[in-house]
Amino acid sequence: MTIPRATKIVATLGPASTDSATLERMILSGVNVVRVNFSHGTAEEHIGVVSRVREIGKRLGRDIGVLADLQGPKIRIGKFADGKVTLVEGDRFTFDIDCEIGDETRVGLDYKDLVNDVKSGDTLLLNDGRMIMRVDRVTDRTIDCTVTLGGVLSNRKGINRQGGGLSAPALTAKDMDDIKTAVGFAADFVAVSFPKNASDMYMARELCRAAGGKALMIAKIERFEAIGNLEEILKASDGIMVARGDLAVEVGDAAVPALQKRMIRMAKELNRLTITATQMMESMIESPVPTRAEVSDVANAVLDGTDAVMLSAETAAGKYPVETVAAMARVCDEADRSGSFSLDKEFLNRTFGRIDQAVAMAALFTAAHMKIKAIASLTQSGSTALWMSRLDSGVPIYALTPEEGSRRRMSLYREVHPVPMTYTGSDRESLLLEVEHKLVDLGIVERGDLVLMTIGTPIGKSGGTNTLQIVRVGDRA
Ligand code: PGA
Ligand code: MN
């Protein structure tokens, strides 16, 4: 049996990918998690597509995670009489909170607090940095600017201040409603857009829990301030998204690659998940094959150690959603196995605070130093699998659990492959034998292979993993 792909694929759903036939082909081509983007579409549409994904997953026997991505405070300009204007370098332009319908000289603001957040000399970026203006003068109702990079500006485009500093809160009233919708369809992950600090994440988690949701909370790192608060945001979250689209606007595009590496490393050290996102296969919106640069970008994210790589418009609105997933899977597959799997030296000097963590690390150490075919984790919550997936041993981790929610959350973990399992025995020996048979039935291992099993006693207690057993397949049958 070939080793399954370690790095997971998140695919954004949209008009190009909401019909059942396309969804099924995308899942068969390698999608592990679907992203429902609350910046577009209605609650009814999202509910409908999630139920189709769940139904297809069930039919195919795959645990597909669902990530609900909140819109957040996208800071936008108002509208123009003709829908858009063309501005050239040197033009004067004013943002005016009293302006209802804009023209070549001025436009209104959806985000009226902008007048309080900027000062003269600031640089404003519009439409994801495609147009740039310098601020000349600010009053309590207007911001006068000079265009320094011209282009076409259309209705409701986003606006950012270079260097960050906008005071908009991370959770809008719409986000609060959308959290309830996401809990309603049992989202496995909720992504919070534009968090600045840990309290933004605590607030989102509180709202999710209050509505009865169990979703893992993902912080999208896309603000200048979030970089400075990375450690506290990580600690307040279950994972982060390296949201390169907005992040590049706030910190400058050239700073993003090194930040990506730093974020992934720090997240793994803190036992948190990572999704690397935006423009990964951008040219495949229009083309059936990726560029060399895109192939390298995806492979490099894999080598950085990301849990998952994400597709945005490629699968939401592109011409080739299925081909894009297949191409990404192919690149991940090869990159997964091209790194070297020596455990970091610092690993040897670590001390562990928890028993399940210590067992997980012992399993990894053994797997990296002995010819182990597979790791099997008998788990409830998946916490042992999470610890094990934070370091690379090159050995696939099968997480066997009857808990469907745990399996769906583990769909994002690098190198972890959830397997549904209902145990019939109640003592340790019979459980281990059941797992052995399951792995053989699935074609994962064969007679003579070594398997590492982690298990908790007493059986069935969440977070109770305390035992590591090395099993030679067939020895006890
Ligand atoms: P978005 O977030 O697609 O919701 O804008 C991702 C990013 O900014 O990169
Ligand atoms: Mn963004």
Side-chain angles (χ1 to χ4, degrees):
M1 163 138 178
T2 51
I3 302 178
R5 174 165 41 83
T7 309
K8 306 304 181 70
I9 295 177
V10 181
T12 306
L13 302 183
S17 51
T18 45
D19 67 284
S20 292
T22 308
L23 281 173
E24 176 163 341
R25 291 170 64 216
M26 283 168 60
I27 290 170
L28 288 171
S29 300
V31 169
N32 303 99
V33 174
V34 295
R35 171 183 180 239
V36 175
N37 190 352
F38 277 96
S39 297
H40 303 282
T42 64
E44 287 66 39
E45 284 164 358
H46 300 325
I47 292 165
V49 77
V50 169
S51 84
R52 287 200 289 287
V53 167
R54 294 262 164 78
E55 180 235 294
I56 295 165
K58 213 150 252 149
R59 187 152 41 78
L60 300 176
R62 309 241 180 142
D63 292 298
I64 305 296
V66 172
L67 182 148
D69 195 333
L70 305 175
Q71 176 170 13
K74 195 85 182 173
I75 295 151
R76 295 178 190 278
I77 62 168
K79 291 186 180 167
F80 294 99
D82 299 328
K84 61 179 188 221
V85 293
T86 303
L87 297 171
V88 298
E89 188 182 333
D91 281 352
R92 298 293 175 89
F93 193 78
T94 298
F95 298 98
D96 177 349
I97 61 179
D98 299 314
C99 172
E100 302 220 327
I101 295 292
D103 57 23
E104 275 77 20
T105 65
R106 62 187 52 239
V107 73
L109 286 168
D110 270 11
Y111 176 62
K112 310 233 183 278
D113 271 336
L114 191 68
V115 292
N116 302 315
D117 291 342
V118 304
K119 56 183 189 321
S120 83
D122 281 354
T123 301
L124 296 178
L125 299 108
L126 293 117
N127 193 12
D128 289 342
R130 289 185 188 88
M131 181 181 283
I132 303 177
M133 297 190 194
R134 188 188 62 232
V135 176
D136 299 321
R137 201 174 78 97
V138 184
T139 72
D140 58 359
R141 312 202 71 78
T142 58
I143 304 168
D144 294 330
C145 301
T146 303
V147 176
T148 55
L149 177 67
V152 178
L153 191 58
S154 54
N155 288 346
R156 303 185 42 88
K157 279 287 175 277
I159 181 164
N160 299 65
R161 175 180 177 274
Q162 194 164 60
L166 302 188
S167 54
L171 290 171
T172 64
K174 170 174 158 53
D175 294 335
M176 296 183 191
D177 277 348
D178 291 343
I179 287 177
K180 289 190 194 130
T181 305
V183 170
F185 58 63
D188 304 295
F189 310 92
V190 169
V192 179
S193 293
F194 301 100
K196 280 189 290 199
N197 49 33
S199 36
D200 286 340
M201 293 308 298
Y202 288 129
M203 178 169 341
R205 188 186 294 273
E206 272 309 302
L207 288 166
C208 180
R209 295 296 175 264
K214 289 190 187 158
L216 298 181
M217 305 304 295
I218 307 289
K220 292 169 71 178
I221 306 301
E222 50 188 344
R223 266 191 181 180
F224 185 85
E225 291 86 343
I227 301 295
N229 297 334
L230 196 54
E231 185 167 345
E232 67 163 62
I233 292 177
L234 275 163
K235 287 180 173 160
S237 313
D238 299 297
I240 54 170
M241 183 191 293
V242 184
R244 306 184 303 183
D246 283 284
L247 186 60
V249 174
E250 293 238 341
V251 304
D253 54 3
V256 172
L259 283 173
Q260 173 177 318
K261 289 178 195 298
R262 203 177 108 211
M263 283 188 228
I264 293 173
R265 168 165 271 273
M266 200 189 239
K268 293 189 116 176
E269 276 167 14
L270 292 169
N271 200 31
R272 300 301 194 270
L273 301 162
T274 51
I275 302 170
T276 303
T278 306
Q279 292 186 352
M280 298 214 86
M281 289 269 178
E282 184 82 355
S283 75
M284 289 194 79
I285 294 169
E286 294 287 342
S287 151
V289 289
T291 66
R292 308 294 185 256
E294 287 160 353
V295 169
S296 277
D297 181 43
V298 171
N300 277 308
V302 171
L303 295 173
D304 288 342
T306 194
D307 284 278
V309 283
M310 191 172 106
L311 294 165
S312 306
E314 299 93 330
T315 48
K319 285 190 189 151
Y320 302 98
V322 178
E323 290 82 351
T324 308
V325 173
M328 191 172 230
R330 178 173 62 79
V331 174
C332 289
D333 249 324
E334 185 140 353
D336 278 345
R337 306 299 159 199
S338 62
S340 58
F341 294 110
S342 61
L343 293 172
D344 289 349
K345 280 219 191 60
E346 61 191 90
F347 165 86
L348 295 173
N349 297 323
R350 281 211 204 164
T351 54
F352 308 121
R354 294 174 49 142
I355 294 171
D356 57 352
Q357 186 190 11
V359 172
M361 295 302 130
L364 276 189
F365 183 84
T366 310
H369 292 89
M370 204 177 173
K371 263 204 161 339
I372 299 291
K373 191 67 178 284
I375 297 173
S377 176
L378 286 70
T379 181
Q380 289 288 318
S381 66
S383 67
T384 309
L386 180 62
W387 288 116
M388 290 194 285
S389 65
R390 298 306 84 196
L391 289 164
D392 260 329
S393 70
V395 179
I397 300 158
Y398 295 90
L400 300 101
T401 179
E403 298 291 329
E404 190 187 339
S406 299
R407 292 201 303 274
R408 289 209 312 249
R409 290 189 289 277
M410 289 190 286
S411 63
L412 191 65
Y413 301 6
R414 181 174 175 128
E415 196 78 272
V416 174
H417 311 287
V419 177
M421 175 93 196
T422 10
Y423 302 103
T424 50
S426 53
D427 62 291
R428 185 163 114 204
E429 276 309 299
S430 58
L431 285 187
L432 293 180
L433 198 60
E434 281 178 50
V435 171
E436 190 179 319
H437 287 154
K438 182 93 186 180
L439 296 179
V440 171
D441 287 349
L442 292 172
I444 292 164
V445 296
E446 52 191 39
R447 202 179 184 84
D449 286 340
L450 288 177
V451 181
L452 271 183
M453 299 197 186
T454 67
I455 186 170
T457 46
I459 310 296
K461 185 167 155 270
S462 182
T465 294
N466 54 12
T467 309
L468 171 65
Q469 185 145 346
I470 307 178
V471 173
R472 189 181 295 280
V473 176
D475 269 8
R476 64 180 79 207

